[in-house]
């Protein structure tokens, strides 16, 4: 009697993980936090100046902005690498449905691809699952033992 260790992908949690990464991608596309921008208005104080301060608020804002840009660039590269591992039709579905600034409705995509609704949703799920594996964010169910 041999006991094998089996791990199955948790579809709900895997889809949720992909959607979270896509949401972060969209956030990076759409936003630059206001607190990373330097202040435009001057501020005055009667307190003595701190001579041991090395960075001004403007310098700190610039540093945060550069760090943000580097993180965003790294994230984009990671996501694009995952997208490039998808089949052409899968990539088209993911990009059109989730990653454009103006996302499209499922019905418009499946009509443009000239496929039926059922086939479209199957391809869409396969694309999400394949993207999860490419990005290494798939989620597994609890371990199960199988006796063979």
């Amino acid at each position: 009697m041999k006991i094998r260790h089996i791990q199955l992908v948790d579809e709900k949690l895997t889809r949720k993980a992909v959607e979270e990464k896509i949401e972060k991608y969209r956030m990076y596309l759409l936003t630059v936090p206001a607190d990373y921008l330097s202040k435009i208005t001057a501020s005055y104080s009667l307190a003595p100046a701190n001579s041991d301060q090395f960075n001004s608020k403007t310098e700190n804002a610039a540093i945060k902005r550069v760090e943000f840009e580097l993180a965003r660039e790294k994230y984009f590269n990671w996501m694009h690498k995952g997208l490039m591992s998808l089949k052409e039709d899968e990539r088209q579905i993911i990009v059109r449905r989730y990653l454009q600034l103006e996302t499209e409705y499922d019905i418009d995509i499946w009509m443009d691809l000239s496929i039926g609704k059922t086939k479209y949703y199957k391809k869409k799920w396969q694309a999400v699952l394949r993207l999860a594996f490419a990005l290494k964010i798939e989620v597994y169910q609890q371990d199960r033992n199988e006796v063979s």
Side-chain angles (χ1 to χ4, degrees):
M1 185 182 311
K2 191 174 186 184
I3 297 178
R4 291 188 309 171
H5 216 44
I6 296 179
Q7 285 189 315
L8 300 173
V9 173
D10 187 319
E11 294 181 6
K12 274 187 175 180
L13 292 179
T14 297
R15 179 183 300 265
K16 184 178 179 188
V18 170
E19 288 171 351
E20 287 171 358
K21 298 303 179 187
I22 287 172
E23 193 59 37
K24 185 174 181 178
Y25 179 91
R26 290 185 55 73
M27 182 273 307
Y28 272 138
L29 274 181
L30 299 171
T31 64
V32 175
D35 59 325
Y36 287 176
L37 303 174
S38 59
K39 285 186 178 179
I40 296 174
T41 57
S43 62
Y44 301 98
S45 172
L46 295 176
N50 217 356
S51 62
D52 63 343
Q53 186 177 7
F54 294 108
N55 295 332
S56 69
K57 289 182 180 181
T58 304
E59 288 171 329
N60 288 336
I63 290 168
K64 284 184 178 182
R65 175 62 187 247
V66 168
E67 289 171 348
F68 175 80
E69 292 296 329
L70 289 172
R72 184 168 73 167
E73 185 70 25
K74 183 178 177 182
Y75 197 85
F76 281 165
N77 289 337
W78 175 71
M79 183 66 82
H80 292 161
K81 186 177 177 183
L83 287 168
M84 294 311 292
S85 71
L86 301 179
K87 296 177 185 175
E88 180 62 36
D89 57 345
E90 293 171 340
R91 183 171 42 248
Q92 189 175 6
I93 290 169
I94 295 293
V95 169
R96 290 176 67 181
R97 183 63 184 99
Y98 299 109
L99 301 179
Q100 297 182 67
L101 287 175
E102 300 267 338
T103 59
E104 298 179 46
Y105 293 106
D106 288 319
I107 189 169
D108 296 328
I109 300 169
W110 87 59
M111 296 291 275
D112 283 350
L113 295 176
S114 300
I115 59 176
K117 180 179 178 180
T118 305
K119 187 173 183 179
Y120 168 78
Y121 281 107
K122 184 177 179 183
K123 279 189 173 289
K124 182 178 168 186
W125 167 240
Q126 288 171 340
V128 168
L129 190 60
R130 193 182 306 265
L131 183 59
F133 280 106
L135 299 175
K136 296 178 176 50
I137 58 171
E138 70 275 11
V139 180
Y140 292 96
Q141 294 176 356
Q142 292 292 349
D143 292 340
R144 297 181 181 182
N145 293 323
E146 181 180 272
V147 179
S148 57

